[in-house]
Amino acid sequence: MDLKILILQILNEQEALTIIETQEKISVMDLLFKGGFMIIPILLLFIITIYIFIERILVINIESKSPKNFTDEIIKRVNNNDINGAKLICNDTNNPIARMILKGLNKIENSLKNIETSIENVGKIEIYNLEKNLNLLATISGAAPMLGFLGTVIGMIRAFISIAQEEGAVSPKLLSSGIYEAMISTAAGLFVGIIAYLAYNYLVSRVAKLIYRMEYSTIEFIETLQSKR
């Protein structure tokens, strides 16, 4: 009797080891695609998130570059009535601040009101270009978890249908596999949503800093023109 119990214990241990080895062989991608068809749009949202983040980082880094003492040099040349020299510096500097000040220099003969309006209009275009696709990131941060929840609900419905169709006692394996496969889409959706949310807030903070620099430089430029009139 004791020998039979020992043999059963050995068999159970071997079965447990076999199950563990099988689980370890499951790759992340295999596990991911067990989450159902809702994983596909979630993966697409993840790819879009990474693309927008990298593209916006490159744009912001380029637009943030400015020669040292750029604004001071422009103001110095304006005070010395060297408008052409100031325009030349702006033309050689490719960033939003230079483009806004260049617009003001081109309108130097007009009234201060017209100069301010022209600079503000250019500023609005520059801000729009800096904030391009950021709203899409915010949308993804909310949409990805919702898609994940939808995938989980659909998966749970399918799991319970399979359980209802099962004759006799329900297998624990059938029950657990159906539930964990359904929960995968929720985990994937939350992951993508968190990444998109963090990326959005980081980019917004970078854009806000650049906008502050744009406002500060243009205000100094306008005040310089006011002092000369």
Side-chain angles (χ1 to χ4, degrees), residues 176-188:
S176 61
S177 63
I179 293 174
Y180 93 76
E181 289 178 9
M183 296 300 292
I184 290 172
S185 61
T186 294

Side-chain angles (χ1 to χ4, degrees), residues 17-27:
L17 289 172
T18 303
I19 292 171
I20 291 171
E21 290 175 358
T22 303
Q23 289 176 344
E24 288 178 349
K25 291 179 181 179
I26 298 176
S27 66

Side-chain angles (χ1 to χ4, degrees), residues 59 62-65 70 87 89-106 118-123 125-127 129-130 210 214 218 221:
V59 169
I62 292 172
E63 299 290 9
S64 298
K65 290 181 180 179
F70 169 77
K87 288 181 180 180
I89 294 174
C90 290
N91 284 322
D92 292 338
T93 306
N94 185 26
N95 63 28
I97 298 173
R99 290 190 286 268
M100 292 169 68
I101 293 178
L102 179 60
K103 189 67 174 180
L105 291 171
N106 290 331
S118 298
I119 292 176
E120 286 177 2
N121 291 335
V122 174
I125 296 172
E126 296 294 340
I127 291 172
N129 291 331
L130 290 172
L210 184 52
M214 292 163 57
T218 52
F221 175 70

Side-chain angles (χ1 to χ4, degrees), residues 4-80:
K4 289 182 178 180
I5 293 173
L6 181 61
I7 293 171
L8 288 173
Q9 287 178 346
I10 293 172
L11 289 174
N12 288 335
E13 289 177 359
Q14 289 178 345
E15 185 179 353
L17 289 172
T18 303
I19 292 171
I20 291 171
E21 290 175 358
T22 303
Q23 289 176 344
E24 288 178 349
K25 291 179 181 179
I26 298 176
S27 66
V28 176
M29 292 303 296
D30 291 337
L31 185 65
L32 191 62
F33 282 105
K34 285 182 178 292
F37 66 91
M38 292 304 296
I39 289 294
I40 297 174
I42 292 174
L43 284 176
L44 289 176
L45 292 180
F46 180 70
I47 294 171
I48 293 171
T49 297
I50 298 301
Y51 171 79
I52 293 175
F53 180 72
I54 295 174
E55 188 266 341
R56 286 293 91 193
I57 283 291
L58 294 175
V59 169
I60 292 171
N61 286 340
I62 292 172
E63 299 290 9
S64 298
K65 290 181 180 179
S66 181
K68 189 176 180 180
N69 300 324
F70 169 77
T71 306
D72 294 337
E73 186 65 26
I74 293 293
I75 290 173
K76 178 181 177 181
R77 290 180 180 270
V78 170
N79 285 328
N80 294 332

